[in-house]
Amino acid sequence: MADGSKRPVCAVVGVGPGNGEALARRFSPLTGTPSRLMARRTELTAKLAGELPSAKSYACDVTEAASVEAAFAATAPPISGDVDALIYNAGSGVWGNVEEVKAGGSRALVGASNTLGLFLSGQEVIAAMRKKGQGAIIVVGATGLGGAARRGAAAFAQSKMAQRRALRRIHGPAISGPRESMSP
């Protein structure tokens, strides 16, 4: 706890059925951490906020800068305190080999949610983390991609690798030190 009186705040961006829901369920009830659950569609986040102590639901379309800014502004001090941990789970995929994927679809869908959304979300939390000298940004990647794209995942793999490296290289050491975990 930064000031000794407030519990750390965790924002989970990209809460859907699967990883996002599991992360929300893990952080909120077990640790008592106030959780800010953000997703483009709020049916699930609203349901989870009703079930989980200290969780709240916010609409957040990571492909739109104004939506990301509004979601984080709604959680900002004095409403709930700065976000101490950002878990970025939002993402999408365009599937096919390099010669099959059309650039427009790849750039619009994959680039916007997988990389631009992370960039925008990071902008909303990094200044406060630096000021406090602590914080964590966790990016949920794709298992099995490793350093090479699976067949049919050309555009998706590029965007996930960009996610994995971008904030670590630019901001990691200034916040909590670079860490990278890759699943087999």
Side-chain angles (χ1 to χ4, degrees), residues 12 14-17 36-50 56-61 67 71:
V12 182
V15 177
R36 306 303 171 242
L37 310 178
M38 301 181 187
R40 188 175 54 233
R41 293 181 298 276
T42 59
E43 294 84 7
L44 178 59
T45 57
K47 176 182 171 272
L48 289 169
K56 294 184 181 176
S57 170
Y58 300 89
C60 182
D61 181 345
S67 179

